[in-house]
Every structure is written in structure tokens, then in C-alpha cells.
Amino acid sequence: MNKEVRKIWHDFNNHMSCIDMLLQMGNIEKARAYIKNMNASCQTTYMGIKTGNEMADVVINQKFMLAKAQNIDLIVSGGLDEELNINQMDLCALLCNSLDNAIEACRQIEDKEKRKKKSKLIFKNA
């Protein structure tokens, strides 16, 4: 499973590099077509968790599906402001790393019935 996840992230990073290069060359239409093709190839898109922040929603829903594939119940409560005083890349990294760590810890639990992770999100601008 870890090998498969690494492959997916490797492919994703390659896709992002291609899109970035298309945008740097000013070829917006090809970049849009590339993204559209990527979206069409995604067989399962789940966006049932809504936090109030689109970036967080994308990350959390992706991790929700990853956890589900590993028999882990990811339970998310709370909410976020859409406009936070945090860079979107930093927010993405923070959520990805914390949820990846939680999922990895749950994977270590042998009894699959006990694999649960509850996350409460409360980020507010100061």
C-alpha cells in the first residue's frame, strides 16, 4: 500500500510539473485540457466533508478516501475560515502531514475495528 501511495504521489508531482510548465509557457488552454483529462481519469472523487475552506476540503477528502481504503474511519469535525492568515501551500502541507501521520499510526493497529482517527479543525484568523 505504501508503495502504491508513493507511486500516486510521484505521478501527481509529475502532473503538477507538466501543468506548471504549460502555464509558464502561457499555454493556458493546454493546461486546462490537461487538468480536465486528469479529473476525468479520477474514478472516485469524494467531497462530502466541508470545512468552510476549499483547500482544506480537497486535502481532507483525499485523505478520507485514502483512510477508507485502509479500513480506517477518519472522522472530521469543526470548521475553518475560507480566508486564513496562512499560505495555502503551508495549510496543505500541515494538513497532509498531520493526516498522513494519523493514518500511518492507525495502520499500525492490528484490530481493524479499532482503526479510527478523530480530527477537530479550528483555525481562526487572529
Side-chain angles (χ1 to χ4, degrees), residues 48-100:
I49 300 170
K50 304 287 185 193
T51 66
N53 181 287
E54 286 184 353
M55 177 61 71
D57 291 350
V58 168
V59 171
I60 291 168
N61 282 287
Q62 178 208 20
K63 297 303 179 182
F64 175 86
M65 293 304 294
L66 178 64
K68 183 177 179 179
Q70 298 179 49
N71 296 313
I72 298 167
D73 291 330
L74 179 61
I75 302 161
V76 178
S77 64
L80 304 173
D81 287 343
E82 181 59 38
E83 298 296 325
L84 296 172
N85 289 333
I86 185 172
N87 176 292
Q88 292 294 301
M89 288 180 59
D90 291 340
L91 176 62
C92 181
L94 175 70
L95 290 172
C96 283
N97 289 333
S98 61
L99 291 171
D100 282 342

Side-chain angles (χ1 to χ4, degrees), residues 2-112:
N2 282 340
K3 187 176 180 180
E4 184 63 26
V5 170
R6 279 193 299 268
K7 180 188 178 305
I8 290 168
W9 276 110
H10 176 77
D11 291 346
F12 177 78
N13 286 329
N14 287 335
H15 290 307
M16 293 304 293
S17 293
C18 290
I19 292 167
D20 183 49
M21 290 304 296
L22 287 169
L23 291 172
Q24 286 182 39
M25 294 183 324
N27 200 331
I28 295 170
E29 290 308 312
K30 277 195 178 179
R32 284 183 179 161
Y34 194 101
I35 292 168
K36 186 176 180 180
N37 188 28
M38 282 178 58
N39 285 336
S41 69
C42 292
Q43 295 178 5
T44 305
T45 301
Y46 179 78
M47 289 300 289
I49 300 170
K50 304 287 185 193
T51 66
N53 181 287
E54 286 184 353
M55 177 61 71
D57 291 350
V58 168
V59 171
I60 291 168
N61 282 287
Q62 178 208 20
K63 297 303 179 182
F64 175 86
M65 293 304 294
L66 178 64
K68 183 177 179 179
Q70 298 179 49
N71 296 313
I72 298 167
D73 291 330
L74 179 61
I75 302 161
V76 178
S77 64
L80 304 173
D81 287 343
E82 181 59 38
E83 298 296 325
L84 296 172
N85 289 333
I86 185 172
N87 176 292
Q88 292 294 301
M89 288 180 59
D90 291 340
L91 176 62
C92 181
L94 175 70
L95 290 172
C96 283
N97 289 333
S98 61
L99 291 171
D100 282 342
N101 290 343
I103 290 168
E104 180 58 31
C106 287
R107 286 185 64 236
Q108 304 302 316
I109 300 170
E110 290 184 28
D111 184 352
K112 292 183 180 182

